[in-house]
Every structure is written in structure tokens, then in C-alpha cells.
Amino acid sequence: MTATTLRPLTGFGTVSGVPWLPDGFTEVFDSALVRVGEVELHTVQGGAGQPVLLVGGWPQNWYVWRLVMPRLAEHFRVIAVDPRGVGPSDKPHGGYDTGTVAAELVALMRALGHERFAMAGHDVGMWIGYALAADHRDVLERLALLDATIPGLAPDVPLFGSEAHNDLLWHFAFNRKRSVNEQLVRGREHIYYGDQFRQKAARPLPDSAVAFYVESLARDPEALRASFDYYRATDDNIAQNHRRKRHPLTLPVLSVAGAHGQGQRLADLLGPVTEQLDSAVLPDCGHYVPEEHPDALLEHLLPFLHH
């Protein structure tokens, strides 16, 4: 890694520009931009040991990991990344399919000097984690996947399902629409994203966290566009995952879901495409596993990573 690869960063969305962080967080972790090809990606790095990459999901960013990062950093080198289009990272047009993003994160870790690493992905970060493990089979040591469904692995969803199913998944159809969704949400981000956070958390997230996530998308039209671009790549992701699932993952995989999120559906989804799967379902937990139940997550994640 050259000195020019890593550029310290402060301001909104970095460790110096987010709401409450655990005590001592900024003594362990720093924000930096890392040049990867034509983009710069925001990373929050700290700790020492074997590398662990953390990738969050929609409509969030690296901050979703804040409650688990300090304990992970006692044992590992932790790299929480905002992939392209997220947080302070660059927001190019195009390249939001999971194959492209996964390859970019492999290049990121290589730029940081890590040829092999472990990874945890939540929500869209889970899509990316599956793609990375399938496409780059010599790179990942272990993979933890948290509370999401994966287009191309999950069965197609009927339009006329139950209301509960619709509440859970309607944003997939809305988010992949082009232009109209941006026009409807812009200026009303707190309504749209606020509803997502209320519906999917069994334990409500702090108001300050929700406000930060909403502001991250509201302050920059490119951020809103890029957040939808991950869903606009659904056709590409489905085609890629149809190819990937022909060859099940051979590395150790841990699935952790909230009982009020994906629950047992997550292990059922991953079972056919993995050869070494451990699974856990956390009671009294919704979709936002790293924030709703960080200690329970760590009870599964730390032993898994230490093997």
C-alpha cells in the first residue's frame, strides 16, 4: 500500500461526523479514503490481527457496525467500508451489480495489504458477501451473512401476497423503478426511510441513528440515486446468482437473522448454496441485527471468526 492510497478523512459520515459512538471508539478507529481504480471508498479501520471486512446495507452505511466494532477490534483488524454509492464514498453512475461491487472490495482489501480475509455482510452487504465468496473463492476465509434475502436465490415473490409479506418486501419493487422513485422520495426522505426503520426493527433504533441515516441520503441527490441503483441492478444480480448457485460455497458460513426479520428463512435460503453453514436466529430482534442485538450477535460472530 502506498501513502497516496490512504487519505485521512473527517466531516459528516466519518468517525468525526456521526452521532453517539461507544466510549473510546475514535481512539481505536480512523476514517480514511482508499483509492480503488477510479473510485475512492470510505473506510473505518482499527484494531490489529487477522482482517475482517464489514459491509452494511440499505439504507445504511458503516455506522450500522459501531456497536460490534470495538470488541472485534480487540482480536482483529477491522475494516468497515462504505461501498461505492454509500456515505462519503464516490457515487459513480453504474457498477452497482454485486459482481462489480464485490470485485471492487477485493481490490480494496488488496490495496490495504490483505490478500485473504473474513467478512460479515448485512442486508445489501449480504448480497455482496455472497457474490464475493462465490466469485473470489481463494480470498475469503469465513463469511457471516446477516438478515436479508438474495434475489436469484430466493423464490420469486408473487405480487398478490399477504400484507405482512408486502410490508417486508414492497421496497424491492419501488427501489428499482427509474427516476420516479427519486422524485417521490426527494424532500420526503424522512417519511420513506423512517417507515422502513419503524417497520423492520423489533427494538426501535435510536432517533439520532435514524436521523443520521436519513440525512446521509437527503443531503446529496447522488446518494439517493446511488441507493436505488443497488436495486436497479436486480436483473443483473438475479442472472449472476443463477450462475453462482450451481457451485455451493465451500468455506464456513454463519447466518444470523432476527426472529422478527428473516428468521428461519435465512438458513433455508443459504442451505442449498453452502456446504458448511452454521445458523442462529435471535429472539426479540428485527432486521437490524448489529444495532438491535450487538452482544447476541457477537456471541455467535466472535467464536465463528476465531476458528
Side-chain angles (χ1 to χ4, degrees), residues 133 137 140-143 248-253 274-277:
R137 289 176 178 255
L140 277 191
E141 305 268 7
R142 293 178 165 265
L143 175 63
L249 303 182
T250 57
L251 82 168
V253 177
T274 58
E275 292 183 0
Q276 299 185 67
L277 178 66

Side-chain angles (χ1 to χ4, degrees), residues 157-171 195-196 199-200 260 265:
V157 178
L159 179 61
F160 298 109
S162 68
E163 183 173 359
H165 214 230
N166 190 65
D167 283 348
L168 190 66
L169 296 173
W170 75 277
H171 68 285
D195 177 72
Q196 290 288 319
Q199 289 279 344
K200 294 181 181 172
H260 299 280
R265 289 190 299 270

